[in-house]
Amino acid sequence: VCAQQELLPCQSLPKNLLFQLLGLSIATLSTVTHYGLHFTLISNISLESNSYRVIHHAAFYFGICLSMTLILAALLSSAATVRESQCLTAMGFFCFALAFCGLIPAACWRYTHSTEVEDSMMDVYDLVYEEVRRNASSFRRHELTAIHEAFLCCGKHSPFGDTANVEGKTCPSGQIRNVGQDCLREIQDFLKKHMDFVSTLLGIAIGFTV
């Protein structure tokens, strides 16, 4: 019995280390989402009436809080195992419960609002593109050029049929040949890959938390 009791801390420490790594992964993903070039560029250009900026900041703060909760729960569980403290064990379970209560709404929001982020990002591009097409202001043209360089795309398919002039001024020299490379499609594909990664990480976190 004594030998089994001595093995318990060693057996539980790898699990707690896994939760710490999971918390660090969520923190890293949140930081990349918040400070990544593609996301910050769209956020800086978006208008206050566009919902993307709110989602952009909310996702970062939520991810950081969630990661800190998981790391704290793992640390408390490790300390409780080593010291065999019921108080620390209760605090660890409470942190895991908080993390679980945050993960479930996040996963539900991901599937019930799957197109909201995508639509808001494409609305930003549409706004900048149409303003450049109508006005060709240097400020908006600079923003549109930055989007084309970040997403490696060139313009979009427009029903007006007068996009060649816009794309000739805003597409990087290496992308002008790929005028058919629709930026709306590139934004959609980029965000889909990112959100798939978010969904996978949320699913893993929910599974291990349970």
Side-chain angles (χ1 to χ4, degrees):
V1 176
C2 294
Q4 292 178 351
Q5 291 177 348
E6 292 176 357
L7 286 174
L8 285 176
C10 297
Q11 292 174 347
S12 60
L13 287 178
K15 297 179 182 179
N16 295 327
L17 179 61
L18 179 62
F19 276 108
Q20 293 181 34
L21 292 176
L22 190 59
L24 290 175
S25 299
I26 294 175
T28 301
L29 180 62
S30 301
T31 303
V32 170
T33 303
H34 190 262
Y35 294 103
L37 173 62
H38 300 80
F39 298 103
T40 55
L41 182 61
I42 298 296
S43 178
N44 293 333
I45 297 175
S46 64
L47 302 176
E48 293 183 358
S49 57
N50 190 294
S51 61
Y52 176 78
R53 187 174 297 182
V54 176
I55 298 173
H56 184 237
H57 291 290
F60 172 71
Y61 292 117
F62 176 82
I64 293 299
C65 291
L66 181 60
S67 65
M68 293 299 103
T69 303
L70 285 173
I71 293 174
L72 179 60
L75 293 175
L76 289 173
S77 297
S78 298
T81 302
V82 173
R83 297 186 179 184
E84 298 182 356
S85 171
Q86 293 182 350
C87 180
L88 292 176
T89 301
M91 293 173 63
F93 273 109
F94 178 72
C95 290
F96 279 121
L98 286 179
F100 181 77
C101 291
L103 286 167
I104 293 301
C108 293
W109 187 92
R110 161 68 182 91
Y111 288 103
T112 56
H113 297 77
S114 58
T115 61
E116 185 173 344
V117 180
E118 177 183 307
D119 292 341
S120 61
M121 289 184 72
M122 291 193 293
D123 286 344
V124 173
Y125 181 81
D126 279 331
L127 172 67
V128 177
Y129 187 93
E130 292 304 320
E131 286 194 9
V132 172
R133 188 183 64 82
R134 292 194 304 264
N135 189 21
S137 64
S138 59
F139 180 71
R140 286 300 188 185
R141 188 164 60 245
H142 175 73
E143 292 178 341
L144 188 60
T145 302
I147 295 176
H148 288 163
E149 292 176 349
F151 288 92
L152 299 178
C153 58
C154 183
K156 69 172 185 175
H157 299 293
S158 174
F160 298 101
D162 56 351
T163 60
N165 186 39
V166 175
E167 289 152 358
K169 295 179 179 179
T170 60
C171 291
S173 57
Q175 296 293 328
I176 294 179
R177 299 177 182 177
N178 300 324
V179 175
Q181 196 168 353
D182 193 345
C183 277
L184 295 179
R185 174 66 64 181
E186 291 298 317
I187 293 173
Q188 187 178 28
D189 293 342
F190 169 81
L191 191 60
K192 183 180 183 301
K193 293 178 182 178
H194 185 80
M195 295 303 288
D196 287 343
F197 189 74
V198 171
S199 300
T200 301
L201 192 57
L202 285 175
I204 294 173
I206 292 174
F208 278 106
T209 303
V210 172

